[in-house]
Amino acid sequence: MAKNDELLHQEARSLASPSRIKYFDLVIAQGNGALLTDADGKEYIDLLASASSTNTGHCHPTVVQAITQQAQKLIQYTPAYFANPIAAKLSTRLTKLAPITRPVKLAWGNSGSDANDAIIKFARAYTGRQYIVTFTGAYHGSTYGSLTASGVSLNMTRKLGPLLPGIIKVPYPDPWQKAPHETTEQFVNRMFEAFKLPFETYLPPDEVACILIEPIQGDGGIIKAPTKYLQKVYEFAHEHKILFAVDEVNQGMGRTGKWWSIQQFGLEPDLMSVGKSLASGLPLSAVIGRAEIMEALKAPAHVFTTAGNPLTAAAALATIEVIEKEDLLHRSRKLGRSALTFFQQAQAKYDFIGDVRMYGLNGGIDIVDPKTKKPSTEIATKIIHRTFELGVIMISLRGNILRFQPPLVITTAQLDRAFTILDQVFSEEAAQKLRLPKNASELGW
C-alpha cells in the first residue's frame, strides 16, 4: 500500500468526516514556495495556496527563520493576561496597514471564523442594535456566529439549528447572474432594490448594527460585487448609522493585488476581519476597526488563550516583510494578467468554459454544460481530478467553479507548466477522454 493510502486509512479511524471537504486522496508531507510533495514523494504545483492562507508560499525562508528564532525565546504565554514584544510590534504594524483613516485598534483571534464573530460582537456592543445583514454565497467561517452569517452550503446549517438570532441575508450581486437584456446599471439597481426590500418591509434600519460583506466573495466563487452597488450599500449604511464591515480573510494580504480587497472599491470600512495568510497559515486572526468601536466591549468579552501568541505574531511580521520586500502586490497583479489571458484564450477554444473572473492572482472559472450553458459539476470534477493526476492541485467551488489561487511567489516557469497541464486537460475533456472518479458524488462542496 502506498504511504498516502496507508496514512489516510490510519487517519480515517479517528478523524470525523465533517472536518474535511473531500477532494483527492492526498497526504501533503512538505512544501516549498508553490510546490508540494506528498507522502509518496510525488510533486505538485499548488494552485490553491492552502485556501489562500499561504500567499507567501510554503516555508518561505524569512517566515521560517522568524518562527525558529521566536520559538527559541518564547513559544506561548497567554496574551489574555500579559503582553509580549512581538505581538505589540505587530499590532502597531497591522493597524497602520488597515484601510481606515481614523484611529484604529484591533483584537486578536485564532481564525477568520472568530474574527467574523468579533465583528458581530463589537458591532452590537457599539451600536446597541441587534441585527446583522449578510449576503447569500458568503463564507465567513465555522463558529456559530460566522456560520450563521454564511450562505454558501446547506451542510453549514443542516442539523445545527437554532442558529444565532438576528442574522438577515440578502442576495449577493453576482454580476454573472445579470439578465441578458440588462445593462450593468439596471442590474445594480435591481440588486440594490432587493437589498432594500427587508429594510422596507420587516427590518427597521435603526435596529441594524452592521452590514457584513466580502467585497470579493472567496468560497462563493471568486466573485466581485459591482463597485456602484457596493457604493450604494455603503451610503445606505452610513445614512442609517449602520456599521459597514468587510471580510478580508480570503481576499486580503495581497491576494487581489492590493493589501485589502476593499481598496479595489475606494471605500473605507468601519470594521474588518483578517486571517488565513496573516501569519502565512499559522493560526492567527484579527478584527480591526475604528478605535471607538473596538472599545465598546470590556474584557473578557473577546479573549482567547492563544490568540496573538509570540510565535504566530512573529510569523505575521515576517509575512508582512515578505509581501513588501518582494513586492507581491505588484506580482499578484502582473501574474494575474497572465492568468487572465490564459483562461480567456481557453474560454475561446473550449465551449465548457463559461465566465472567467480574475482579480490579481485570484480567479474563478465557471465550467458549464456546452449545450445548456448551465453549471456542470460533472465536467469540473473530471477536470480537477485529471489535473491532480498530472501534478497540479486545483479544486472546485460550488461544484462547477475552478478555484485559482496560487501562492503569490509562484514562479513564471511553474505557472506556465500549470497552464500547459490545464490546457492538456481541457483538450482531453473536449475530446471526451476524461472520466469521473468512482467517488465523484462525494467530492467537493
Side-chain angles (χ1 to χ4, degrees), residues 26 51 53 59 78 86 92 127 133 204 222 231 249 251 266 274 285 315 322 375 413 425 429 432 438 441:
L26 174 66
S53 68
C59 299
T78 177
I86 201 77
T92 301
T127 62
V133 174
I222 319 294
Q231 288 172 340
V249 175
Q251 295 288 300
V274 185
S285 68
V322 169
V425 174
E429 170 56 27
Q432 299 184 341
K438 292 180 180 179
S441 62

Side-chain angles (χ1 to χ4, degrees), residues 55 216 251 253-261 263-264 323-324 326-342 358-363 404 406-410 412 415 419:
N55 289 358
I216 301 174
Q251 295 288 300
M253 299 300 293
R255 174 52 62 185
T256 70
K258 292 183 180 291
W259 273 106
W260 316 109
S261 67
Q263 292 173 315
Q264 303 282 354
I323 292 173
E324 290 182 334
E326 299 187 13
D327 200 5
L328 295 188
L329 304 186
H330 172 74
R331 187 172 181 77
S332 177
R333 296 191 297 271
K334 178 183 176 182
L335 295 185
R337 288 191 292 270
S338 298
L340 180 61
T341 297
F342 166 77
M358 198 69 58
Y359 318 108
L361 199 55
N362 173 57
F404 178 78
L408 305 183
V409 297
I410 190 169
T412 53
L415 200 56
F419 290 156

